[in-house]
Amino acid sequence: MKPIRHIVDEGSDGEESDSNLLIRVCTLTKGPLLSRRKEIRRAIVLAALSIYQPDSVFEMNDLSINIKNTTKCKIDDESIISILSQLRNERILTHVHGFQYKLNEKVEITDVKELLSPAWDEFLSFLQRGYPAYDPYFDKDARKLFDWCILKVLTRFIDATSQSIDNQLELLPIDDFKSIIEKNVGAFSLSKQLSKKYSTIMYSHLTSKPSVLLKTLFDCYSGIINVNLVLREQEIPKLNFDNIKFLVVDTSFLVGLLCKTDPIYPLSVAVANRCVALNIPLYYTSQTKNEMMSFIDGSQKEMDGLINRSGKVNVVRSQFVADFRRQTIRWSDYITIISSWTQIVEGQSGIVALPEELERTGIDDDVAQYIKKTLPIVESVRKEDKMRIDPNYKPRYREETQITHDAYCVGLISNLRKKYVDESKKIGGPWFLTFDNLLTITNAAYSARSRDFGFTIQPRTLLNYLLIYSKILFDEKDKEEMAEAIIKFTVRTPDPKLTVDEYSRLVTYKFGLDQPDIEVVKEILFASPLREELKTALERDRGDLADNIAYRIFSDTRFVKSVIGERETGEKLRHVADKLRETEKKLGEEKAAREALERSGKPVVSVTTQVNTNIYLNIQTQVSSLIQLLKAENAFKDNLLENPSDISTKEKMEKWLENIKETIETSTLIGNNIKIFFATYHPVIRKVGWDVVLK
């Protein structure tokens, strides 16, 4: 059995190997694996022969070693002899005697520069639009740097696809691709101006759906998968990817489907779409549903007022709040949509709750207990490694409820799988579909102990196997979707630290104010003598300090009034200031209590005070939001739904809502998203009631 530390280290980033030749040979191996095993092996042998000069004499054993050294592949002697016989018949080589051969002509494989030329031509047009001053003389290495960037991505494809299926960690993401380019741009001959802009232009191009580059990347990626799976054919007989019973999805996968600005979103959608096309059912457990609701609740609390607490806290903590930050809609609209996640994932991807009869199967206690015991150890080892590498890294350990959830889901999969192994003993699922690398490592440790396949699978790993083994071929649209998902999943750039400008938007919603009030809140923050202090806190990603400073600014009624005067927003902000001032005494008492505990030597209790300043929920705002969402879905095009011309009174709004409700419920032309948005907003409006004063 492999020790935990050894398995964790296998998932660590190592030095990049020289994968140039393997990348070139992978372009010869694109296409369905099942019908191309012989062609793939032939391409690998040709790659090894390409290092020999004409008239070279070599032994088959030496060729076998060269195959392993140059392509990292191992092919059995029988297959090599068979391929050499074919090449002899084609007069490419001559059989001398025994296992000795002579190469008659040079074996040529497409050069990387030639391979990437069409993609470079596409990028050059993009570059000239973004940087009109481009000069082929002063910027003579622009092409070399382009090739270097793409080879960096392709090499990552190889490194991230070279593991056995029982230890398929997700190593593909490059967390700060722009920074890597910036650190290496000095090695290339470019003008000073282009050197400063190249990383941004390159990153923008990679994420702009460049069709030629996406085709090149898909061909290379599928070829890399083909070569890798040839090496792992000893695993394949035990697996049945042609008949997957069903998949149980983790919270991380569901969140990936909801956060449209997250790098994992395109990959999550591509996997879900492929499963729909192949009629592979996707389910979530009752525990995952509870975890999702808890996650959404935590995001709401994060945006439900300023927080004063002891200890370092990030400015943005929730994945949902991070996703909201990158969008332009109101927070109330965003969280209302996210709260309807069960309808969204069912409408878009057919993901529903696991049938009760399957969940009643119960969990495998041995597997569940192993996960509970081992997962915290794996997490601790991983976090310690990161803290040694980055002194500024702030570890966030998963809570006991999360560990219990993971143990439950994996234990349930273990028991369910026993019901679905067919007579051939091939494993066709179910699997637990998760982006969680720590859980994947724990799964690998269990597999090593039990000498059997584990129960989790990464979304990209699943997509790889479906790409190769599926009887339903990928059409051009599918290929482009997959390539876009892979490139966005791979090349990333971290979110920049919040500016005071951006923070003012979050604070506005934390106060319970609305979009029109953002400019006034921003004006107050910029006018405050604490502005630089706030800016420093944001640059350090200290949400605890930033919220504390905002609290001090807005609780100063006299200062707030001096900035806003008698404007309409003034009354709302004065109300906020009153609320904040009311909590000042309570916060002081809690601080004194903590200090007293510290002096007495008793355990320090972390006290969190939520300063809730939500003011009201305006029905008219909710109806307006619904209208905007319906417009985005072209719901009013060709009079599909009635476009309201006036919603100034309760009666007019009520009449319009009832009219479109009838159309939505009876028309066959209404899409799923329209139904989801209406089903979400209509009950909210009804629940608040019509007795709110309309303005």
Side-chain angles (χ1 to χ4, degrees), residues 311-316 392-394 496-499 532-546 549:
K312 297 179 180 179
V313 180
N314 291 21
V315 178
V316 174
N392 296 319
Y393 174 69
K394 292 178 279 188
K497 299 293 191 295
L498 257 74
T499 61
E532 287 302 315
E533 192 177 337
L534 175 61
K535 181 181 176 183
T536 301
L538 294 172
E539 288 172 349
R540 294 172 58 195
D541 196 21
R542 287 291 301 272
D544 53 318
L545 298 180
I549 294 166

Side-chain angles (χ1 to χ4, degrees), residues 613-628:
T613 56
N614 281 333
I615 298 174
Y616 61 85
L617 178 61
N618 190 303
I619 290 179
Q620 204 166 28
T621 298
Q622 293 295 310
V623 174
S624 297
S625 297
L626 174 60
I627 292 170
Q628 293 304 313

Side-chain angles (χ1 to χ4, degrees), residues 166-439:
D166 62 351
N167 189 18
Q168 289 275 359
L169 301 186
E170 188 49 83
L171 304 177
L172 191 57
I174 303 174
D175 289 329
D176 194 349
F177 193 66
K178 283 177 66 176
S179 176
I180 291 174
I181 298 174
E182 288 164 2
K183 289 175 182 177
N184 289 274
V185 72
F188 297 85
S189 180
L190 298 176
S191 62
K192 189 175 181 179
Q193 292 78 6
L194 184 56
S195 293
K196 292 179 180 178
K197 297 182 177 182
Y198 198 96
S199 63
T200 299
I201 295 172
M202 185 69 195
Y203 184 80
S204 298
H205 178 65
L206 287 170
T207 55
S208 67
K209 297 186 179 180
S211 58
V212 177
L213 178 59
L214 289 180
K215 183 181 185 306
T216 301
L217 291 176
F218 180 86
D219 289 345
C220 291
Y221 185 79
S222 60
I224 289 166
I225 296 170
N226 277 339
V227 171
N228 181 60
L229 293 185
V230 163
L231 303 180
R232 308 203 177 284
E233 286 208 72
Q234 69 276 10
E235 301 170 357
I236 305 309
K238 298 181 182 179
L239 303 174
N240 188 0
F241 282 99
D242 202 31
N243 185 27
I244 295 178
K245 305 302 179 185
F246 60 87
L247 297 165
V248 176
V249 301
D250 188 17
T251 311
S252 60
F253 186 78
L254 292 171
V255 171
L257 286 172
L258 296 170
C259 293
K260 293 186 176 182
T261 65
D262 197 287
I264 68 174
Y265 173 75
L267 182 58
S268 302
V269 171
V271 171
N273 288 349
R274 200 63 187 166
C275 288
V276 170
L278 295 171
N279 295 314
I280 299 173
L282 299 174
Y283 300 122
Y284 53 82
T285 68
S286 58
Q287 293 239 6
T288 298
K289 182 176 182 179
N290 292 339
E291 188 171 77
M292 274 292 293
M293 299 305 293
S294 177
F295 187 26
I296 293 170
D297 183 58
S299 302
Q300 287 178 305
K301 287 179 179 176
E302 182 177 335
M303 291 293 290
D304 200 26
L306 300 180
I307 297 176
N308 185 296
R309 66 168 66 177
S310 58
K312 297 179 180 179
V313 180
N314 291 21
V315 178
V316 174
R317 298 175 288 284
S318 161
Q319 199 170 340
F320 285 135
V321 176
D323 182 52
F324 166 72
R325 173 195 170 184
R326 306 181 202 107
Q327 300 193 38
T328 58
I329 65 174
R330 296 180 175 94
W331 169 250
S332 58
D333 298 341
Y334 179 85
I335 200 63
T336 300
I337 294 169
I338 295 299
S339 297
S340 305
W341 67 271
T342 54
Q343 296 162 283
I344 293 172
V345 298
E346 181 178 3
Q348 294 180 351
S349 308
I351 305 175
V352 296
L354 185 69
E356 288 185 17
E357 62 271 20
L358 294 179
E359 191 140 12
R360 282 198 300 266
T361 301
I363 66 172
D364 183 326
D365 285 328
D366 289 340
V367 172
Q369 287 304 315
Y370 183 86
I371 298 295
K372 271 191 171 183
K373 176 183 177 182
T374 310
L375 188 52
I377 299 173
V378 171
E379 182 175 42
S380 177
V381 170
R382 203 70 164 154
K383 301 291 186 188
E384 288 171 8
D385 288 344
K386 289 187 176 181
M387 284 189 285
R388 277 195 294 271
I389 296 170
D390 180 8
N392 296 319
Y393 174 69
K394 292 178 279 188
R396 292 175 61 183
Y397 293 91
R398 64 187 69 200
E399 298 175 359
E400 185 64 34
T401 53
Q402 293 174 292
I403 296 172
T404 299
H405 163 268
D406 296 337
Y408 173 85
C409 291
V410 177
L412 180 62
I413 291 292
S414 176
N415 263 359
L416 287 170
R417 185 174 291 175
K418 295 170 187 175
K419 297 177 61 173
Y420 288 99
V421 176
D422 59 26
E423 294 178 0
S424 66
K425 301 300 182 184
K426 284 189 174 183
I427 297 173
W431 304 88
F432 188 49
L433 189 62
T434 179
F435 281 106
D436 189 341
N437 256 355
L438 294 180
L439 189 56

